[in-house]
Amino acid sequence: MSFPLESQPDYLQLLAKIDVPLITEFVPLSVIKSVIQECRAQEKRLRCLPAWLMVLLCIVRGIFAQEALASVFARLCIVPCLLSQFNLSKLPDKSALCLARYRLGARPLALLFKQVCHPIATPQTPGAFAFGYRLVSIDSTKETIADTPANADYFGRHRTKKGRDDAAFPLFQALYLCECSTHVIFDAVIAPFKTDHYHYFRRLLRSVDAGMLVLFDRGFIGYDSIQAIKDRQAQVLAPVKKDMKLRPQRYLSDGTYIAHLRSWANKGANDDPPISIRVITYTIDDPQRNPQKATFRLITTLLGPDLYPAETLILLYHQRWDIEIAIDEIDTHQRLTWTPFRSQKPVGVIQEFYALLLAYFVIRSVMYRSAVVLNETPQRLSFVNALRLIQHVIPVAQLLWDTYYRRIIELFHQWQLYFRLPPRDNRINPRVVKRKRNKFRRKKPEDCSIKVPPFADVVRLCGA
């Protein structure tokens, strides 16, 4: 906007009325402003798009991830414009929003995520704890981003061995630390596509506290990772690869055995003490689930067979798939898988990533509050319908939050009860697709847009 802000009292009045109570109830404005100050991202002069407003806009955009930034900003301002009688067409345009967003950077969103997002389940939450330990899970995924040279140079893309581009879009890998019962993601790392995910797995352990039982996949198994979790007074439950050698040192009363996991740093020439782990071997007597009658192995640092029965631990490990459900909720329903991250620059991708997780935390917190009131497990509540309700109620809450706070909260509980999910079925689905991909050739860098003259300039009548 080109006008001096001091000469526009109407716009100043509009800024004073901008708020999203459904967001700021879980991500308070005071915390947003303190994080901005800590990151030294506050503006040096009075701006039309202050830093706190851009942070709030990025989070709201995580709710409306399928819309452009200017469209989300119009949604954010429509009720304040109504209350302050400001001309909505005079709002900052998309270029001003883009400049303000990159001026903000990614660090305030990353720091805000670390300060706000945390485990929210209590010992009374169904499925949240086992043997007194909070169940948490770690997993990774890969996401597509806008196909720009800057994104491709920073994050990379999948290539075949011959060096030919194999992925249509650049990719990044994301690692999540999730609370199994509520699906709340309380730590995350975004990394380039080709980096070692094991290194970033170790970084996630900064948020693992004493009293947690950490579930993860076999790809993260290693002496260093298990020792790092034990150093934080937490416990491990994970599967191991078929070719991993674990020699029994002592058999236990339930048929499991104790083995030693050794460090292979410096090819084993080190003084690191071995870690005692318990190995649980089992199979699945169901030809549909296990047609080859394969056996599986779990390792855990919970050594006592009487305190920690093997059958219970086997069932507990399958709660690790709750993080897969959380990833699916973000990709398929909140962000839409077929839509890459919109940002054209790496800093924008990182900012968009943490804003999306902050929005996911808000949605899951709303669902958890309803689960507590309804005395229901959070897994029985519908994420899709919770997201839709928040999208519908945001402008209503802006207008009526102070007057009808209790009624709006009751409406959330009633909505969740109305769309409550049935218990999960014991079923498996074949890995097939109903519709094959189309036969169009994949777009290549040389397939760029071509400017053509207006149609009216080239049309010609034949036979005149």
Side-chain angles (χ1 to χ4, degrees):
M1 300 177 73
S2 57
F3 53 79
L5 195 57
E6 295 84 350
S7 64
Q8 295 292 326
D10 292 344
Y11 189 80
L12 291 174
Q13 186 180 3
L14 173 69
L15 288 179
K17 292 185 179 297
I18 293 179
D19 190 11
V20 187
L22 286 176
I23 304 293
T24 54
E25 185 175 6
F26 303 101
V27 189
L29 273 177
S30 58
V31 178
I32 292 175
K33 293 179 179 179
S34 66
V35 166
I36 291 172
Q37 188 172 5
E38 182 178 350
C39 296
R40 298 181 179 179
Q42 67 271 28
E43 53 278 354
K44 296 181 180 180
R45 59 184 176 84
L46 195 59
R47 290 186 177 272
C48 301
L49 296 170
W52 66 265
L53 178 58
M54 295 309 301
V55 170
L56 191 60
L57 175 60
C58 289
I59 299 174
V60 176
R61 189 192 186 189
I63 302 291
F64 300 94
Q66 71 278 12
E67 298 186 15
L69 191 64
S71 175
V72 178
F73 186 61
R75 281 182 176 271
L76 181 64
C77 295
I78 188 169
V79 172
C81 284
L82 176 66
L83 298 178
S84 63
Q85 298 182 356
F86 184 82
N87 187 345
L88 191 144
S89 65
K90 301 297 184 181
L91 290 174
D93 57 15
K94 62 180 182 180
S95 61
L97 291 169
C98 184
L99 289 173
R101 179 182 163 220
Y102 283 110
R103 183 171 62 244
L104 174 68
R107 190 164 178 262
L109 272 299
L111 185 58
L112 183 64
F113 169 78
K114 294 175 183 177
Q115 289 194 12
V116 170
C117 298
H118 55 83
I120 58 178
T122 65
Q124 291 72 37
T125 305
F129 287 78
F131 310 118
Y133 293 100
R134 184 188 300 272
L135 298 179
V136 300
S137 181
I138 297 177
D139 206 350
S140 64
T141 185
K142 294 178 176 61
E143 305 289 355
T144 58
I145 53 181
D147 189 9
T148 63
N151 285 343
D153 289 343
Y154 184 85
F155 291 106
R157 70 171 81 220
H158 179 75
R159 295 177 182 271
T160 61
K161 293 182 179 180
K162 295 181 180 179
R164 180 177 59 86
D165 290 347
D166 190 50
F169 295 92
L171 299 165
F172 71 79
Q173 59 176 330
L175 285 84
Y176 300 114
L177 177 58
C178 173
E179 186 178 39
C180 292
S181 60
T182 62
H183 295 183
V184 165
I185 294 174
F186 59 97
D187 202 354
V189 173
I190 178 173
F193 171 67
K194 287 295 186 180
T195 53
D196 182 12
H197 68 282
Y198 184 77
H199 168 75
Y200 290 96
F201 170 85
R202 293 284 307 278
R203 184 181 296 183
L204 279 181
L205 300 184
R206 64 196 173 191
S207 298
V208 172
D209 297 331
M212 288 184 177
L213 177 57
V214 186
L215 317 175
F216 52 88
D217 199 6
R218 67 191 67 187
F220 299 116
I221 289 288
Y223 178 91
D224 293 339
S225 60
I226 295 179
Q227 186 60 52
I229 293 174
K230 285 178 61 66
D231 290 343
R232 302 187 71 85
Q233 306 299 316
Q235 305 295 336
V236 173
L237 179 61
V240 294
K241 297 179 180 179
K242 293 181 180 180
D243 58 352
M244 187 173 182
K245 296 181 180 180
L246 296 170
R247 296 179 180 177
Q249 301 294 320
R250 176 167 55 93
Y251 283 93
L252 303 176
S253 58
D254 61 348
T256 62
Y257 61 88
I258 302 297
H260 288 164
L261 187 64
R262 302 183 182 277
S263 171
W264 289 100
N266 298 325
K267 297 182 180 181
N270 57 74
D271 297 328
D272 296 333
I275 302 174
S276 296
I277 56 173
R278 180 180 170 200
V279 183
I280 304 171
T281 305
Y282 68 99
T283 187
I284 301 175
D285 293 329
D286 184 349
Q288 299 296 328
R289 291 186 174 94
N290 189 19
Q292 281 115 22
K293 298 182 180 180
T295 58
F296 310 93
R297 292 185 299 172
L298 294 176
I299 62 170
T300 180
T301 52
L302 301 172
L303 304 182
D306 297 329
L307 294 176
Y308 315 107
E311 294 84 356
T312 305
L313 291 174
I314 293 171
L315 296 177
L316 276 180
Y317 172 71
H318 287 267
Q319 292 198 32
R320 185 189 76 83
W321 296 103
D322 282 326
I323 191 172
E324 298 282 358
I325 298 175
I327 294 172
D328 175 74
E329 289 170 347
I330 295 173
D331 285 349
T332 307
H333 306 296
Q334 184 182 355
R335 186 180 64 84
L336 305 179
T337 306
W338 58 85
T339 305
F341 279 68
R342 295 173 178 268
S343 302
Q344 307 291 308
K345 300 177 183 179
V347 64
V349 173
I350 299 172
Q351 182 192 78
E352 189 177 350
F353 172 76
Y354 284 108
L356 192 73
L357 294 182
L358 282 163
Y360 182 75
F361 174 76
V362 171
I363 299 168
R364 271 291 162 186
S365 298
V366 170
M367 294 175 64
Y368 174 73
R369 183 168 57 183
S370 295
V372 171
V373 173
L374 300 174
N375 194 24
E376 191 62 83
T377 175
Q379 286 91 338
R380 291 286 305 276
L381 303 185
S382 171
F383 176 84
V384 175
N385 287 289
L387 173 61
R388 290 172 180 168
L389 179 60
I390 292 174
Q391 290 173 343
H392 297 330
V393 173
I394 277 181
V396 177
Q398 285 181 303
L399 188 62
L400 304 174
W401 186 258
D402 294 334
T403 307
Y404 293 100
Y405 171 79
R406 292 180 179 272
R407 187 70 189 100
I408 293 174
I409 298 302
E410 290 176 1
L411 182 66
F412 271 92
H413 304 332
Q414 295 166 7
W415 180 280
Q416 295 286 359
L417 185 61
Y418 181 74
F419 288 105
R420 182 175 54 177
L421 300 174
R424 292 179 184 173
D425 290 335
N426 291 320
R427 64 180 182 180
I428 56 176
N429 297 313
R431 300 174 71 92
V432 296
V433 294
K434 199 168 185 178
R435 180 179 294 173
K436 293 184 178 180
R437 296 179 181 272
N438 58 49
K439 297 181 180 180
F440 288 107
R441 178 175 59 82
R442 185 175 64 83
K443 182 180 179 182
K444 296 182 178 180
E446 58 268 22
D447 295 327
C448 55
S449 300
I450 302 174
K451 291 185 177 181
V452 295
F455 179 75
D457 295 346
V458 297
V459 67
R460 180 173 58 86
L461 294 177
C462 296

